[in-house]
Structure formats: C-alpha cells, structure tokens
Amino acid sequence: MSDHLNASETLKIHVDQDKCQGHARCKALAPELFELDDYGNAHETGDGTVPTALIDQAWLAKSNCPENAIVIDEA
Amino acid sequence: MSERAPVTDWVNDFDHTDPRWTENPYPIWDELRSASPLVHTDRFLGCYMPTTFAAVKEISYDTDHFSSRRVIVRNVRSESPPPAPPITSDPPEHKPAKRLLLPPFTPDAVAKLEPRVRAICNELIDAFIEDDGCDAATAYTKHIPVKTICHMLGIPEDDSDIFIRWIHEILELGINDDAILMKAVFEMSTYFQGHIAHRKQKPTDDLISTLMNARDDKGQPLSDAHVLGSLRLLLIAGIDTTWSAIGAALWHLATHPADRERLLAEPELMPTAIEEFLRAYSPVTMAREVMKETSIAGCPVKPGNMVLLSFPAANRDPSVFPEADRVMIDRKENPHVAFGLGIHRCVGSNLARMEMTVAIEEWLKRIASFRLDPSQKVRWSEGTVRGPRSLPLLFGKPS
C-alpha cells in the first residue's frame, strides 16, 4: 500500500454505479470516503477527493471491493 | 445417504456430496483447478464447476446464458422449482424483487439488531459455561442466526427447531429426494400463510409486515405468493449459512491456538479475521442452470446442465489470494466472494458479518481457551452450504 503513498499526489476516488452491488466493504474500511444509500449501495463522499491522510484507506477500499467497482484517478 | 458410485476420477467425475469432499474439499479443488478452469461431471444430470476466481466471475456476471431459477444442484430436477425471489430471479424481474429486501439489511439497519444478538449469544453460553465443554454447533452456532431471523420476522423463537428441520430437508435431504423437499416447502408456506393472515387482521412492525406493505415498481402491493417466496428465502438463506460461518470460525480458533491467542491479545484484528474466515471457509456454493450454449474460460458449456458456482473454490484461487490455503487473520487485501458476485450478492451479508463478529467476540470474552474434544468427531454438512454440524469442544487448556 505504501507504494502508492505520495503526498504531492491528488487522488480522486469514484464508485462505478454499474458495478457496485452493495458489499459495503469500502464503507467498512474507509468510512470517511464512502456513503451508502437506502439500499446499501456505495458512492463516494463529496467530489471524491481523497485527503492525504486517507490515501492508504482509499487503496485499501479499492483492493477489497469484490466487484472491482472502485476507480482511483491519480492526478 | 443414497447408494452412489465412489469417485475415482475427481476431474471428470466429481461429486460434491462425496464424504471425502464433505470432510476436506480443499485438496480436491486444487486438483480440479490444476486440471482445468472448468470441470464437468455426468453426475447430478450433468454439472459443471468453475475452479478459478476468473471463471466463477465470468459465470456470475453472465445472466444471459446462466439462469438462477435453479440454485441448488440436485439429483432430481422438478419442472417448476419453487421460487424464492430474488435469489431465484433472473433479469429483469430480479432488480425490483431485490430492492424490496435491501433496506432492512443495510449496515445501519443491521447495527440496530446487534444488542439482541449479543444477548442471544450470552443466553446460549449461560447454558453450558459451567460444563467442561460443549458441542458448539448444536449448543451455540446453530441457534444464533435462527433466533436472530425470528426476531426480525416477528415469529416465535420457540419455532426454531422446526425451521432447522425444514432447512435440513430442503438443502441436504432434498438433493436426492424431491418428495421431502416439496413437503418441507409446503409446510413452510403453510406456516407463513398463517402469519400473513394474522397480520392482515393485526399489522405489526416486523419484516413480514414490511414485505406485506411493500409496493412494486408499479405501485402495486406484492402478491401473497411473492411475500411467501421471499420469506422462504430469508429462512432458507439466513440460517445454516451463518450458522456454518460462525462454526467454521470457531473450528479454526479451536484448531489454531496461535491465532486464538493473537485475536485475544489484539482484538482490533477482529474485522480482518472475520473476512479471512469468510474467505477461507466460505460456506455457500450457489448453482446456475445453463440456458444457452456458450463458453467459459474457453471451455464450451451445454444447455440443460447445472453449474456448481463455487465461491469457496474461487476464494482459494492462489492467483488472486497469495498463499490461498493459509489462513492469515491480518490479511489486508481480501476481495473474497463469500457472499457471491454480481447482481445476486447475498442480501444478508451485512447481517451475517455482524452475527459472526458478535458470536466470536462474545464467545472469546467468556471462553478464552478451548480445543477440539479428541474423543469425538467433527462432522461437516453436505451440499450447498458447508459448515460444522457437530463441533465437540473442551474448554480450558489441556491438563
């Protein structure tokens, strides 16, 4: 995970709504970065910008999604 | 159970109800996976099994060629299998049927049930804590999910034993005997019809009333048949699955003292440990029916055959999970598919995780040290759901 750590990067996280099936692993692992709707499906909080302190959690959420529904853009 | 030829060629003639598979399927899956990403047996009227994560994924996402109308591989194939929406639904009926069930099973909704589940666990432990040991499957793990679902549905906990009998008849005995299965389904339907009729007179605030009050996408109430089907699903899918998952976790902790000690010393590892138990001992294998000719992982598949959609085997695929056969309670990257993949993701996954976590936490709080009773035998279930049905434990350290 620390391979991805680079404080100068801005990461944006996004949940692909066509892929998300509501496993809710992202919400469990990175509660600040994701929200669940009334049906338990996930979407990113705000505009998806990942604060530097939460970069590890963002990658952890991505690597634990069984549906591969989490996209991380490295700007 | 019934007479059948013993397996001599696992790759071309596998049988997931063979006692050797039931006892320890992992080396068999390794053998199958080395042979092919998709294997076939003529048993069960013709059945495929994907052995890799990728092949399981391919089938899970292909609702065009594979139907969910039959979700159990059996030796009999009834003309119209009893529906249990949404698990037996295909698109486009699947989505609206599933959406009705999702809200009561979100993590937040499930968290509200946690105090009751903790109480259930402690009431069960009270009954055997003074003894030298117990059969953890029959005295503990078996009762937690059934009492929890009774609480959610607003039906008497005292009826638990009847539900457990129906599930055994449907999921295990029903593999070979259609009459037993249909009788259990009929009894279950009659039971719930009584509860539905009762609530028509006197509405309640439980899950049965929630379903009865639900409206479909056209604003119409669900038919009694739909409500009944969903109730059958909740009962069938919610009980021995979680019972098995909790049991397998306790079996692991009983047989791996170092992991038990570590979990006691580092309780913050509980979330990764639970995910790892789910991966390594995934209880549920669903099935699909091949509807149209296609190919999976380059292997042709023929309509009319069933598919043993083994999420447990996918979770042991070393190309996705490093050291797949090793249980690491601190495994960080663990995108396991114990709850399925694609549109049929288990609606109760958040409930199951909560029950599992609470059941292990409460057990460890009161019984820190335990091991298998060497004078007795652990017995695992057969078929669709794998878990210990007999788990004889001794408490305390060996003297």
Side-chain angles (χ1 to χ4, degrees), chain B residues 180-199:
Chain B
I180 290 181
L181 179 139
M182 294 310 281
K183 184 168 169 284
V185 169
F186 177 78
E187 286 176 10
M188 198 183 252
S189 302
T190 309
Y191 175 89
F192 280 125
Q193 266 156 356
H195 280 285
I196 289 173
H198 197 252
R199 280 161 181 74

Side-chain angles (χ1 to χ4, degrees), chain B residues 248-290:
Chain B
L250 277 180
W251 175 84
H252 179 89
L253 294 171
T255 51
H256 297 75
D259 281 346
R260 196 181 65 240
E261 301 286 336
R262 189 165 174 216
L263 207 46
L264 285 163
E266 301 170 64
E268 65 278 11
L269 288 179
M270 192 60 79
T272 48
I274 293 294
E275 294 309 317
E276 181 68 343
F277 296 147
L278 282 166
R279 180 192 71 82
Y281 307 112
S282 315
V284 183
T285 296
M286 290 308 294
R288 297 287 186 267
E289 183 177 358
V290 186

Side-chain angles (χ1 to χ4, degrees), chain B residues 160-388:
Chain B
S160 297
D161 288 343
I162 315 173
F163 304 153
I164 287 169
R165 175 169 61 78
W166 287 336
I167 284 149
H168 177 60
E169 290 170 348
I170 292 172
L171 291 181
E172 294 197 84
L173 303 181
I175 292 175
N176 290 306
D177 194 327
D178 208 36
I180 290 181
L181 179 139
M182 294 310 281
K183 184 168 169 284
V185 169
F186 177 78
E187 286 176 10
M188 198 183 252
S189 302
T190 309
Y191 175 89
F192 280 125
Q193 266 156 356
H195 280 285
I196 289 173
H198 197 252
R199 280 161 181 74
K200 282 184 178 163
Q201 305 298 321
K202 225 172 132 191
T204 49
D205 60 357
D206 52 45
L207 195 45
I208 298 183
S209 290
T210 303
L211 279 173
M212 290 170 64
N213 295 331
R215 295 289 178 272
D216 67 15
D217 47 354
K218 296 180 192 72
Q220 296 301 308
L222 306 181
S223 64
D224 282 3
H226 189 131
V227 174
L228 266 179
S230 292
L231 290 171
R232 282 201 302 268
L233 162 67
L234 293 178
L235 211 58
I236 297 170
I239 294 180
D240 62 346
T241 49
T242 312
W243 161 15
S244 298
I246 302 168
L250 277 180
W251 175 84
H252 179 89
L253 294 171
T255 51
H256 297 75
D259 281 346
R260 196 181 65 240
E261 301 286 336
R262 189 165 174 216
L263 207 46
L264 285 163
E266 301 170 64
E268 65 278 11
L269 288 179
M270 192 60 79
T272 48
I274 293 294
E275 294 309 317
E276 181 68 343
F277 296 147
L278 282 166
R279 180 192 71 82
Y281 307 112
S282 315
V284 183
T285 296
M286 290 308 294
R288 297 287 186 267
E289 183 177 358
V290 186
M291 304 307 281
K292 289 185 247 174
E293 207 158 309
T294 184
S295 66
I296 291 297
C299 311
V301 295
K302 300 270 180 224
N305 283 258
M306 291 295 290
V307 177
L308 205 56
L309 191 56
S310 180
F311 301 115
N315 285 337
R316 294 272 183 155
D317 184 341
S319 74
V320 177
F321 302 97
E323 295 188 80
D325 280 331
R326 217 180 113 208
V327 176
M328 295 185 254
I329 60 169
D330 57 356
R331 194 185 282 270
K332 284 197 171 57
E333 300 191 1
N334 197 350
H336 68 78
V337 290
F339 294 109
L341 203 54
I343 62 168
H344 286 285
R345 188 269 304 173
C346 168
V347 73
S349 62
N350 300 305
L351 176 64
R353 285 187 160 104
M354 182 274 280
E355 287 184 50
M356 230 181 135
T357 306
V358 168
I360 301 300
E361 279 176 357
E362 295 306 311
W363 177 284
L364 287 178
K365 268 184 210 164
R366 298 183 65 185
I367 308 166
S369 199
F370 57 97
R371 63 196 191 278
L372 294 186
D373 179 348
S375 72
Q376 296 181 62
K377 212 175 157 359
V378 176
R379 191 174 57 80
W380 297 81
S381 57
E382 177 183 279
T384 303
V385 180
R386 182 172 193 268

